[in-house]
Amino acid sequence: MQTQEQKELVENAIELAQLHGILKYLPDGQLTHAPFSLSPYCITKSDLAEMTELTAAFSELMISVSQNWDFLEHHLGPISANDPFLQMLLNCRTSEIMQSRQLLVQRNDFFITNDEQSPDKQNCSPEYETNAASLLRQVELNTVSVSFPFLATKLTQLHHYLYEQNCLKQVIQNNPLDAVVDAFAKAVRDYDIADSVMLIVIQPKEKNIFDQLGLEQLMWEKHKISTIRKILSEIYRDGKLREGHLVVDSKTVAVTYFRAGYTPDDFSTKDAVKGRQLIEASSSIQVPDLAMHLSGMKKIQQVLTKQEVLSDFVSPDLSGRFSKTFAKMHTLDEIIDTPEGEVSAAEWVSKHPEDYVLKPQREGGGNNYFGSDILNLLPTIRKEEQKAYILMVKIKPQIHSAILVVNGQAETLNCVSEIGRFGICFAENGVVKNNRDVGYLVRTKAENVNEGGVCAGFACLNTIADIDDQQESGN
Ligand code: ADP
Ligand code: MG
């Protein structure tokens, strides 16, 4: 039961969320506030620092991986034989590199776990096993359609407004929006064609439109750069190549920003595929380019958890720091070492489905299998399809209490929080020019919910408040 005072506080917060543009559409078309938390997630300064420091290093890793097409093809090619969507993406590659400039806008998602005994702990390289200070676990690194720079920035403003006046929590400053917009503006200027624009590739029924509109508005306000929003088939209909430039509605496109194109649903027509190919054949700076997009695939994440693979791309020191954050990942046909001896990962997970997440090569939420759904799926996967799935140890994040506000209703629940660090990296022919961490996203959800999407209704936007490391250990 809420007191009158709590009820008013929640109502006030909802009005403020709407004022800030923290909005979304419900499936029936009604406008409501995006789900948000009223309880900033408290983490230690050292976890925050470690996560922030890792951003640029992970961006550099993604740039290096993206430069190695043979590596990408070696790991993704065999999967694509049974995955027409992946095959189509791989086939988009043109023989000639049309643009040597790269802009990566990535978000590296983590949970923080207290569970030192979790099976994923086995993955630590020996030199780090004694250093148990950090228990960060990477969920995934997103290289395509990195969402929420606008909404995360606005929620931070809202939390500051609510808490600072009452000297409550120290919400950590956060403005990924300005940094992302400035990066796009720099890329447009680098393209160096007068009055060129940024093309935003959107989904047919875009759910997260306010996050995009807020970004577009700031592009104009701050940099006087126009944006064009279109789905892939419209890009094919309205676009053409002129001397290598992509021209859409008579405007030269300097930057193509993908907020779509990562799921088969975005390619339901032949014209959509042609739209994707048209972009690829042009010299516009693609965020991300095809190789960066593929570098963020779950199969690539899984192979990079192997020391011998990772060490081809990064120094031993970085390899150790990265590995410390990796949860153990397998292919289904892999033979793994278990307390019951060596067995295939598929056999092991069929006995321990609650300890794993089974992931197909898909992005965008709602595609993963948990618990009994894994058991239902396993017998339907043909031998040749096994490669298309990644088995990941289920991370057990620390649990905290939070007030979640969803569609006008507030509820206090035991929750877990996933923190994403935004990274921006400019490179040219794989040589990094400018690379930094630019802020965070927190998504908080009830502890018993598996998936994590905000627009899909699983999770709530949140902020970080930091606490002293001593405070956490009870000193
Ligand atoms: P997507 O590309 O769909 O975002 P993710 O790998 O991020 O795929 O998984 C979606 C959600 O599932 C995450 O936001 C997280 O809440 C949950 N999840 C994914 N992997 C794990 C894991 N290893 N342990 C616990 N939860 C996970
Ligand atoms: Mg994700």
Side-chain angles (χ1 to χ4, degrees):
M1 264 300 278
Q2 279 180 347
T3 64
Q4 187 57 27
E5 197 186 347
Q6 284 164 337
K7 230 174 131 197
E8 280 168 17
L9 195 135
V10 170
E11 276 167 15
N12 180 238
I14 292 172
E15 303 283 18
L16 288 169
Q18 288 167 340
L19 173 69
H20 281 80
I22 303 171
L23 297 167
K24 74 162 209 179
Y25 284 111
L26 291 170
D28 65 4
Q30 218 185 313
L31 193 61
T32 184
H33 66 88
F36 64 94
S37 161
L38 276 174
S39 320
Y41 179 37
C42 295
I43 69 171
T44 64
K45 285 185 168 47
S46 58
D47 281 342
L48 182 58
E50 178 67 0
M51 223 182 289
T52 310
E53 267 178 41
L54 286 175
T55 309
F58 267 109
S59 293
E60 189 154 358
L61 171 66
M62 286 297 106
I63 295 286
S64 304
V65 171
S66 76
Q67 289 298 297
N68 193 338
W69 185 262
D70 289 346
F71 173 80
L72 292 171
E73 206 164 40
H74 174 75
H75 292 291
L76 298 175
I79 301 173
S80 72
N82 287 294
D83 184 341
F85 169 65
L86 185 55
Q87 183 82 69
M88 182 275 296
L89 282 182
L90 288 168
N91 287 346
C92 276
R93 189 173 192 237
T94 51
S95 49
E96 198 185 340
I97 305 259
M98 298 300 294
Q99 177 55 259
S100 56
R101 286 195 192 88
Q102 293 176 290
L103 168 56
L104 173 66
V105 177
Q106 60 104 338
R107 202 189 65 229
N108 200 7
D109 293 337
F110 295 94
F111 278 127
I112 301 174
T113 169
N114 289 331
D115 185 6
E116 293 191 34
Q117 299 311 314
S118 64
D120 45 309
K121 199 71 181 125
Q122 300 159 16
N123 207 40
C124 288
S125 62
E127 65 267 39
Y128 285 91
E129 264 169 8
T130 48
N131 179 1
S134 168
L135 290 164
L136 300 180
R137 286 289 173 276
Q138 186 187 50
V139 177
E140 66 156 350
L141 190 153
N142 305 275
T143 58
V144 64
S145 188
V146 171
S147 309
F148 299 116
F150 173 80
L151 292 183
T153 303
K154 290 294 156 181
L155 188 76
T156 312
Q157 285 173 6
L158 168 59
H159 275 187
H160 269 290
Y161 179 68
L162 285 177
Y163 301 124
E164 268 180 357
Q165 293 181 65
N166 302 311
C167 301
L168 287 170
K169 292 198 160 70
Q170 274 302 322
V171 174
I172 304 292
Q173 279 295 355
N174 188 35
N175 189 344
L177 177 65
D178 270 80
V180 170
V181 161
D182 291 350
F184 285 141
K186 178 175 161 26
V188 171
R189 284 195 302 271
D190 286 349
Y191 197 78
D192 203 18
I193 297 275
D195 298 325
S196 55
V197 300
M198 180 163 92
L199 172 66
I200 308 186
V201 186
I202 56 169
Q203 295 192 305
K205 286 185 190 129
E206 185 56 65
K207 283 199 206 126
N208 201 5
I209 187 166
F210 297 100
D211 190 52
Q212 300 169 1
L213 294 181
L215 189 147
E216 290 179 62
Q217 185 182 310
L218 195 62
M219 282 288 282
W220 180 256
E221 213 172 280
K222 226 175 152 180
H223 299 286
K224 295 289 172 275
I225 293 170
S226 304
T227 47
I228 300 177
R229 304 167 54 79
K230 283 190 195 286
I231 63 171
L232 283 164
S233 57
E234 290 168 342
I235 293 169
Y236 178 64
R237 187 191 63 198
D238 303 334
K240 56 174 173 288
L241 286 184
R242 197 183 289 154
E243 291 168 2
H245 299 294
L246 176 60
V247 178
V248 175
D249 293 346
S250 309
K251 306 237 169 62
T252 302
V253 175
V255 172
T256 305
Y257 171 36
F258 286 97
R259 290 291 293 252
Y262 54 84
T263 146
D265 297 349
D266 298 339
F267 293 90
S268 55
T269 63
K270 286 202 173 91
D271 281 1
V273 176
K274 288 180 185 159
R276 181 67 186 84
Q277 288 164 343
L278 182 68
I279 296 166
E280 199 59 33
S282 80
S283 57
S284 79
I285 298 173
Q286 296 176 51
V287 185
D289 64 24
L290 181 62
M292 285 194 280
H293 174 176
L294 297 173
S295 304
M297 296 208 77
K298 293 181 169 64
K299 176 68 198 172
I300 302 300
Q301 180 187 4
Q302 179 253 323
V303 293
L304 288 172
T305 61
K306 295 180 194 295
Q307 285 288 325
E308 65 277 16
V309 178
L310 186 61
S311 59
D312 280 346
F313 293 101
V314 296
S315 67
D317 175 49
L318 267 184
S319 164
R321 277 176 84 180
F322 286 171
S323 298
K324 224 174 78 172
T325 72
F326 293 157
K328 209 147 180 88
M329 297 182 84
H330 308 285
T331 53
L332 282 172
D333 56 0
E334 195 174 328
I335 301 299
I336 58 172
D337 217 359
T338 75
E340 292 167 23
E342 290 193 340
V343 293
S344 80
E347 191 185 330
W348 182 252
V349 67
S350 67
K351 292 185 197 151
H352 306 274
E354 299 303 328
D355 290 339
Y356 291 90
V357 184
L358 188 60
K359 302 188 177 189
Q361 304 304 308
R362 292 289 180 266
E363 305 294 322
N367 299 304
N368 298 335
Y369 296 83
F370 295 83
S372 59
D373 288 342
I374 301 182
L375 294 184
N376 295 334
L377 181 73
L378 276 178
T380 71
I381 302 176
R382 286 178 289 135
K383 184 113 192 84
E384 60 274 22
E385 290 171 340
Q386 281 197 337
K387 286 191 188 67
Y389 291 86
I390 297 307
L391 193 61
M392 181 173 185
V393 165
K394 192 165 179 195
I395 305 162
K396 298 190 177 79
Q398 47 184 224
I399 295 169
H400 62 98
S401 171
I403 304 167
L404 303 186
V405 188
V406 181
N407 200 14
Q409 301 296 321
E411 207 176 346
T412 304
L413 293 167
N414 281 338
C415 290
V416 297
S417 288
E418 187 172 346
I419 303 178
R421 296 293 325 184
F422 289 100
I424 286 177
C425 182
F426 285 92
E428 203 161 338
N429 286 316
V431 179
V432 170
K433 302 281 177 196
N434 193 313
N435 186 8
R436 61 198 183 99
D437 176 284
V438 296
Y440 67 80
L441 164 75
V442 183
R443 286 168 297 172
T444 299
K445 62 180 182 177
E447 63 164 325
N448 55 352
V449 171
N450 283 323
E451 279 285 346
V454 170
C455 292
F458 296 113
C460 294
L461 298 164
N462 204 354
T463 58
I464 304 175
D466 70 359
I467 52 173
D468 290 335
D469 292 21
Q470 287 88 343
Q471 208 176 319
E472 202 219 19
S473 57
N475 295 336

